[in-house]
Amino acid sequence: MAKAPHVVVTGAGRGIGAATVRLFKNEGYRVTLMARSRNQIETLADEIGAYAVRVDVGDPASVEAAFMAAGPVDVLVNNAGMVRTSRIMKTDVRVWEEHLKVNLTGSFLCALKVLPGMVSRGRGRIVNVASVAAIRGLPYLGAYCASKHGLIGLTRSLAVEVGDKGITVNALCPGYVDTTMTRDACEFIADRSQHTEEEARAFMAAQNKSGKMLTPEDVAKSIYWLATQEGEVPNGDHYLLEG
């Protein structure tokens, strides 16, 4: 009997990543959870019957070890990310570099580890979780926007290079999602303005077409669709999800 397809999700310990691994597992995939915090992913992996591997996506040696442990990958979901809110003129260069390391270089390093196997098998799916910040400029998020814009460029270039080998590489650009990262941003705005956290949250939700925050499950469903549709997803595209 053939093995079920193997999906690796980075940043899998909470939020979008956790919702994504639950969905793939429910659909019969073999699932490997990767994240910097081993405790988060081990607890979830034990709960759903999956495999947990610690990784720092910005560290080439850590990525090498993690994907050696994981084995061949059919679907890679590059979801690991970070955000620090500040005005661009007050953004420390170390914070800038951390955004690029995690949000952009991390996806690059992980893709490098799965692509040789995908090419040899003549099939594979890579979904890069970007953001609405990948296609718009947003205040207080200059470093985040730059890193996510770069992720769109990486997505397009990879798709051009491997699209004729049975591999698709696409990016999903969710609007504002109800996650810990978003709640932290609301807290930052409240601390540095005359607005409350509730007002900041309402403003963010209003930017989505539905006027409501997306849920991690909403995003997980779109990731699953991009990873599983045969011949219906143009390669190298980015997909805006605004609710």
Side-chain angles (χ1 to χ4, degrees):
M1 182 181 296
K3 288 185 177 180
H6 180 206
V7 58
V8 166
V9 181
T10 66
R14 61 184 184 178
I16 293 169
T20 300
V21 298
R22 289 181 185 278
L23 177 55
F24 273 97
K25 184 64 178 178
N26 287 341
E27 293 296 330
Y29 280 69
R30 291 182 294 127
V31 178
T32 296
L33 292 71
M34 291 190 182
R36 189 180 297 181
S37 172
R38 184 181 295 276
N39 289 339
Q40 283 184 335
I41 54 174
E42 286 185 343
T43 299
L44 179 55
D46 288 344
E47 177 190 333
I48 67 174
Y51 186 43
V53 179
R54 184 193 175 278
V55 69
D56 178 350
V57 296
D59 179 355
S62 178
V63 172
E64 173 77 23
F67 280 88
M68 284 289 291
V73 177
D74 299 293
V75 178
L76 170 64
V77 180
N78 278 317
N79 173 66
M82 59 85 61
V83 62
R84 300 285 185 272
T85 45
S86 67
R87 291 184 181 276
I88 293 177
M89 289 185 290
K90 293 186 177 181
T91 299
D92 187 276
V93 67
R94 289 171 295 183
V95 174
W96 173 271
E97 290 173 344
E98 186 180 6
H99 278 83
L100 296 180
K101 178 182 176 181
V102 175
N103 297 343
L104 181 54
T105 302
S107 295
F108 164 72
L109 292 174
C110 293
L112 288 185
K113 293 304 161 188
V114 303
L115 280 170
M118 290 180 176
V119 169
S120 68
R121 294 189 298 276
R123 66 182 186 279
R125 299 287 183 268
I126 298 177
V127 180
N128 294 323
V129 181
S131 164
V132 67
I135 53 178
R136 297 176 187 166
L138 299 172
Y140 304 104
L141 293 171
Y144 184 73
C145 285
S147 64
K148 292 298 188 177
H149 272 69
L151 186 55
I152 296 294
L154 174 64
T155 298
R156 290 171 174 164
S157 293
L158 280 178
V160 170
E161 292 191 11
V162 302
D164 63 346
K165 297 173 173 60
I167 301 166
T168 63
V169 187
N170 290 292
L172 182 65
C173 301
Y176 288 100
V177 186
D178 188 7
T179 62
T180 300
M181 188 179 293
T182 300
R183 291 190 286 274
D184 289 346
C186 291
E187 183 178 351
F188 172 88
I189 292 170
D191 285 344
R192 289 161 177 79
S193 72
Q194 296 179 343
H195 298 287
T196 66
E197 289 185 38
E198 290 73 19
E199 289 171 336
R201 179 182 174 84
F203 172 80
M204 291 180 181
Q207 308 311 302
N208 291 344
K209 285 186 177 180
S210 66
K212 300 178 181 179
M213 289 278 189
L214 294 165
T215 67
E217 289 73 22
D218 292 330
V219 183
K221 290 175 184 177
S222 293
I223 291 170
Y224 182 81
W225 180 78
L226 286 173
T228 58
Q229 293 302 304
E230 296 289 343
E232 296 184 23
V233 180
N235 201 7
D237 271 9
H238 67 271
Y239 294 82
L240 180 62
L241 179 65
E242 293 186 288

